[in-house]
Amino acid sequence: MIANITKGRRAIGAILYDFGPGRRDEHLNPRLVAGNVVGTPMQVARAIDHTARLRPEITAPIWRTSLSVPDEDGILPDGQWGRIAEDFIEAMGFAGAPWVAVRHGDDHVHLTVSRVDWSGQLLTDRWDYRRARETADRLEEEHGLVRARDRFKPEGPQVRNNELEASNRRRGPDAAVPPEREELRRIVREVRDASRGLGRDAFESGLDDAGVSFRANVASTGRMNGYSFTLAGWVDGSDAQVWVPASKVAKDLRWAALAPILGDEPAARPRIPDPRIEFAAPAHATSTGLQNGPTREEVTAAAERGAEILRRGQAERGIMPVPERQAARSTDPAASLLAQWRAIAAGQQPPAEPVPTVPASIPAWTDKVRRPHGRLSNEGLAAAIKRRENELGTHTKNKGYAEEEIRTGDSIATGQVTGPHVQELHQLLDRLETAEPDIETARQNWELMKAADEATTEARAEWREANQRQDMSRWELWRLGTSRGEEKTRAEKAGEAIHENVDVAADARRTAAQADQRARQQTGLPDPRGELTRLRTDWAELVGDAQHRDRIHGKAQRHNGRTAVERLTGSIAKTEKRIEELRQEQELRKTMPDAQRKAEGRARSAVARPNAPAARKASTGRRYTGAAYERPAHLRQPPPDPGRGQGLR
């Protein structure tokens, strides 16, 4: 079962489309099979749009999807479709909003939902594509339908439209060969099956014979990572050869899957004997590893070097070694290990007592390498962890949005989902078709006004001619076959016709202007009639252009989403690392001795105290003395007069 989701502003166009004949008269017997709104199609659409208008700030309150099944499932009855629709709406969380399910075909049903429930509460459509896919998978199992994941599971990376177009340009559109990737997949698989169990040499020889160029991707350590393949003549726009990794040709051609089939897996690494086990074995036991392994002198030298390395490590960590004569009771692991190896080298039984371990020393809180957050206080650690966790949650949520953007862009680029440009074109046509009665009324009245104006012009000409003949003599009128009375009657009729046609033209002009105004308000276009004519005349070309723009838009959205996911993945890794370091510092402080913890706390406080800002003392004002500052002229006081008092003047 496939769920194809679209979103829009109004439900009336979608409902009328469901109950209409379709674009090619393919809709047969449209009917409601489920929902919580009843009535005629127009009443159902108005009821759904009524709740959507309760939240005018929502740009796309109408949520719409079509559920379709393959031919293998047969024709499901209306009752089963109704149960599927109800379960689907319930799982999506839209059961509290007005919705209907319309069926007008054998293999699918259309669901139209308002995301605004009856009380005006907005229902979320977050992750609706993923939730719809999961719900469809569950309904497939419950109703015993064919699984869409099994039907559309690709055997390898699929050939996209741009790659197919490039192949057609290189080979010609009439070439009877598949694209290079599919041809490469077939040839490499045939060579793999023919080279089964014969090794890499046979496989590579078969590729040469089949005309497939290859490159073995071998690491600097000698590890085989896989192959890259290409065909003769497969070049890009800059005439550079196109090399495709085996995993991009087919998943079963990766080296992890290819090596067992070819029988060319690396040999098992030889076992290196453990001298401790070999030397401790009984005298009568035979050991191949001991015979082929190192001599006793080499083992003794290795033990000496190991003990020296351990001593140096202890010295670097500040642990004082125990004197050599106290090695038997020493807690120094280097001295104890050296004593054991000396006993083994001399053919004696090593000491049975376990070697005591020395607890690991705790690095100083000022060590920025091993304790990068040691300078933070306990409260500062907790605040830093909380801040980093909030940052991690934000990065994770944004990564989810970016992944959804990738899926949406890929769906638009591949044509699985209708893009915004095609949706906008259909919405424009729906608005124009809704306003078509007003457009037709305006057209008829404009034509009526034009005809009335032409009739008025003819009546005026006749009225002028009749008035002119009334001034002629009777002889001239007799020659024209008329009289003054007839011309007078003719002039009166022409005048009446003028008045009637003027009134008709005025009424038609007023009606046409009102209809045009209504059409412009409904469509938001300055010329609805011309736009409707253009859409119906050039519909195929306009849809093709909109699909092309949608593909470009989808590719850009997919690229932006991938860039954001890469950036956020790095940020998430860094944040998780910081959180882990902070938590390690927290756990270290919980497990360290109380005396050391208190001493570190006092030391941190002493270091942080001089950096604290000193409290500012209250003062009556700043004193300006000396030559460093001179008051402006309007603030200067005149010098005191020695002959007068210093009181108020």
Side-chain angles (χ1 to χ4, degrees), residues 154-159 163 179-190 192 203 207 212-215 217 226-231 234 242-255 258:
E155 63 174 359
Q158 300 301 299
V159 178
E163 185 176 344
E180 289 89 348
R181 190 188 298 268
E182 295 184 359
E183 184 179 0
L184 197 60
R185 182 183 305 154
R186 176 186 59 80
I187 296 174
V188 175
R189 282 177 173 171
E190 291 177 356
R192 175 202 62 185
F203 176 69
L207 291 177
V212 175
S213 301
F214 63 89
R215 292 190 304 200
N217 302 322
Y227 287 99
S228 297
F229 305 106
T230 187
L231 290 173
W234 192 1
V242 177
W243 289 90
V244 184
S247 60
K248 299 299 183 181
V249 178
K251 293 182 178 179
D252 56 351
L253 297 179
R254 296 174 301 171
W255 181 247
L258 192 62

Side-chain angles (χ1 to χ4, degrees), residues 2 29 35 60 106 132 183 232 234 237 268 298 381 425 484 513 524 550 561 569:
I2 298 176
N29 187 21
D106 294 336
E183 184 179 0
W234 192 1
E298 293 174 347
L381 271 178
L425 190 62
R484 284 194 179 91
D550 281 337
T569 301

Side-chain angles (χ1 to χ4, degrees), residues 8-84:
R9 189 171 185 83
R10 299 181 62 188
I12 184 170
I15 296 297
L16 293 181
Y17 168 78
D18 292 342
F19 283 94
R23 305 195 185 281
R24 294 177 297 276
D25 296 331
E26 72 275 12
H27 294 180
L28 301 176
N29 187 21
R31 58 204 180 274
L32 289 175
V33 295
N36 53 12
V37 182
V38 296
T40 64
M42 188 61 70
Q43 291 172 343
V44 170
R46 288 176 177 173
I48 296 176
D49 284 336
H50 173 72
T51 58
R53 285 194 294 269
L54 297 177
R55 300 294 296 270
E57 72 278 7
I58 306 302
T59 57
I62 303 301
W63 191 88
R64 182 171 166 83
T65 184
S66 62
L67 302 177
S68 59
V69 296
D71 296 337
E72 292 83 354
D73 289 329
I75 300 177
L76 305 183
D78 288 353
Q80 187 175 3
W81 269 123
R83 292 191 297 272
I84 291 175

Side-chain angles (χ1 to χ4, degrees), residues 22 45 73 106 131 143 168 220 247 257 272 320 379 390 401 418 427 506 509 549 556 631:
D73 289 329
D106 294 336
R131 292 190 288 123
H143 293 268
N168 292 335
S220 59
S247 60
I272 300 176
M320 298 302 295
E379 294 79 5
N390 294 337
Y401 292 154
T418 304
Q427 292 171 2
R509 183 182 295 105
R549 287 184 289 163
R631 289 189 179 185

Side-chain angles (χ1 to χ4, degrees), residues 285-296:
T286 60
S287 174
T288 305
L290 179 60
Q291 295 173 2
N292 300 330
T295 63
R296 294 181 183 274

Side-chain angles (χ1 to χ4, degrees), residues 340-478:
Q340 291 182 11
W341 279 112
R342 284 176 175 173
I344 293 174
Q348 302 174 1
Q349 186 69 20
E353 62 180 22
V355 179
T357 59
V358 178
S361 63
I362 300 177
W365 64 277
T366 55
D367 189 347
K368 296 183 179 180
V369 177
R370 287 179 286 182
R371 293 182 65 180
H373 307 286
R375 295 180 177 272
L376 292 176
S377 63
N378 295 334
E379 294 79 5
L381 271 178
I385 291 175
K386 184 176 180 180
R387 184 171 62 254
R388 292 292 183 177
E389 287 178 345
N390 294 337
E391 183 179 347
L392 180 61
T394 302
H395 289 333
T396 304
K397 180 171 64 176
N398 292 336
K399 182 180 179 181
Y401 292 154
E403 290 174 346
E404 179 67 20
E405 185 179 2
I406 293 174
R407 290 190 290 270
T408 304
D410 187 69
S411 300
I412 294 175
T414 56
Q416 298 177 4
V417 175
T418 304
H421 294 92
V422 175
Q423 291 182 8
E424 182 180 357
L425 190 62
H426 282 284
Q427 292 171 2
L428 177 60
L429 181 60
D430 292 340
R431 293 200 305 270
L432 290 171
E433 289 179 347
T434 303
E436 189 173 5
D438 291 328
I439 295 174
E440 185 64 22
T441 301
R443 184 190 65 80
Q444 293 175 357
N445 281 275
W446 286 123
E447 292 179 355
L448 178 61
M449 183 198 71
K450 183 178 179 181
D453 289 340
E454 293 177 355
T456 301
T457 302
E458 295 177 357
R460 284 197 179 102
E462 187 174 358
W463 179 80
R464 292 192 190 95
E465 184 181 1
N467 280 341
Q468 290 176 0
R469 289 185 178 182
Q470 288 181 16
D471 296 335
M472 298 173 63
S473 63
R474 293 180 179 179
W475 169 252
E476 291 175 339
L477 292 174
W478 177 80

